DNA sequence: TATTGTTATACTCTATAACTATA
DNA sequence: TATAGTTATAGAGTATAACAATA
């Protein structure tokens, strides 16, 4: 029986054993964008995780460390060093939470907001340059599909 | 002037500061798929990089270590431990290259081919289950867009 | 009992530089 | 000079377990 239907990439066996796997392609693509991020942010700039944590603190002022960790899906214990770094840079402040003496609320400083706006603009500009050969629709589709993957596990 | 045109996600500022970045979404998506990979491959199974290296050796028998490193875009030095591991598992053999005594050609063993076929099937089955809510077209589009990112830097 | 922040620890991944033996 | 494989080393990133203070 002859094959009449067009075969989709995901069903095509063995063009290369690896190319058909989403995981492999995700990793390779991430490395390209990650390198671009580092170029955008510069030598002593924020690490990706510090950037994300700062973004979260600005978006949700007074959020606790545990809540940031849950939001970013990283470990509570791993967040300590990140917040230490942000605090030493003067971008974020740990403050007591009235009514719960266990928790530390995080507040962005004025410097923190300024630094984030700058970093964000730099990263945005770099991503825009990186994706200059993508149409708006392709980029939207990509973000949408990546989001759909994330939501599988929620 | 009123905005008549629909705004694309990538141009929408500040839904969340992070959600608009491809890099952040790529990383989150990768973590989901990576966890699935580890479940597929089991406790003492091949690490992602060993899996990729073995795939490459099977696809290009007698390929040298340096060529594998270039193909996977990883460092030559990092490949040594991966090949050590594959060799200790009896999945790959280092063999001399006639005419160039510097190089080591890599050959898959019978066990290596068998183990890879098994691992590949397991990972494929897991990815298929993970992406059960994706249409074939969505998956193709995703692979295609991820490939387009990879090709930016080539 | 459960949760928050923290420390300690270890393990993976990766980047860099240097070495050796070849070419 | 350049390349192949290797070693050593250090730095991220991350996962786990435990602990004190508090809920």
């Amino acid at each position: 029986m002859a094959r009449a239907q067009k075969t989709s990439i995901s069903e095509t066996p063995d063009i290369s054993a690896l190319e058909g796997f989403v995981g492999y392609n995700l990793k390779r693509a991430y490395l390209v964008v990650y390198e671009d991020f580092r170029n955008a942010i510069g030598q002593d700039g924020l690490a990706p995780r510090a950037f994300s944590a700062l973004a979260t603190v600005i978006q949700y002022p007074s959020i606790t460390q545990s809540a940031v960790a849950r939001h970013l899906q990283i470990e509570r214990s791993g967040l300590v060093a990140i917040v230490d770094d942000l605090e030493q840079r003067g971008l974020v402040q740990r403050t007591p939470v009235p009514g719960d003496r266990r928790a530390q609320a995080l507040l962005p400083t004025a410097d923190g907001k300024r630094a984030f706006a700058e970093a964000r603009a730099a990263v945005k500009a770099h991503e825009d340059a990186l994706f200059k050969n993508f149409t708006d629709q392709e980029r939207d589709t990509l973000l949408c599909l990546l989001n759909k993957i994330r939501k599988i596990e929620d």
Side-chain angles (χ1 to χ4, degrees), chain A:
Chain A
M1 197 215 264
R3 291 207 67 154
Q5 282 194 297
K6 201 175 154 204
T7 307
S8 72
I9 292 176
S10 51
E11 297 298 324
T12 304
D14 269 339
I15 305 172
S16 147
L18 290 174
E19 303 296 333
F21 287 111
V22 178
Y24 180 71
N25 284 277
L26 270 176
K27 183 161 195 180
R28 291 290 295 262
Y30 172 69
L31 289 176
V32 171
V33 178
Y34 172 63
E35 193 192 337
D36 188 65
F37 176 92
R38 286 199 321 186
N39 291 336
I41 216 80
Q43 183 68 21
D44 294 318
L46 296 169
R49 307 174 82 198
F51 180 83
S52 302
L54 182 53
T56 306
V57 170
I58 289 171
Q59 198 184 0
Y60 307 103
S62 291
I63 191 173
T64 64
Q65 287 191 196
S66 287
V68 172
R70 277 190 296 268
H71 185 250
L72 298 178
Q73 296 253 84
I74 63 182
E75 288 295 320
R76 218 155 86 252
S77 61
L79 196 66
V80 177
I82 296 168
V83 175
D84 285 350
D85 178 44
L86 288 173
E87 208 173 30
Q88 275 156 29
R89 290 169 187 259
L91 307 181
V92 149
Q93 253 197 330
R94 280 187 247 238
T95 65
V97 173
D100 188 342
R101 284 191 300 179
R102 291 171 306 180
Q104 299 272 24
L106 302 175
L107 281 175
T109 64
D111 265 13
K113 289 182 201 171
R114 209 176 307 124
F116 181 71
E118 252 177 62
R120 175 173 153 72
V123 175
K124 177 91 170 64
H126 264 252
E127 273 204 3
D128 285 348
L130 193 66
F131 289 98
K132 62 177 186 295
N133 290 325
F134 284 60
T135 64
D136 279 2
Q137 213 217 314
E138 283 177 321
R139 215 160 144 182
D140 277 2
T141 302
L142 177 61
L143 287 175
C144 178
L145 290 170
L146 293 175
N147 246 281
K148 197 168 172 181
I149 297 177
R150 272 176 58 182
K151 273 164 195 152
I152 293 174
E153 296 236 317
D154 287 348

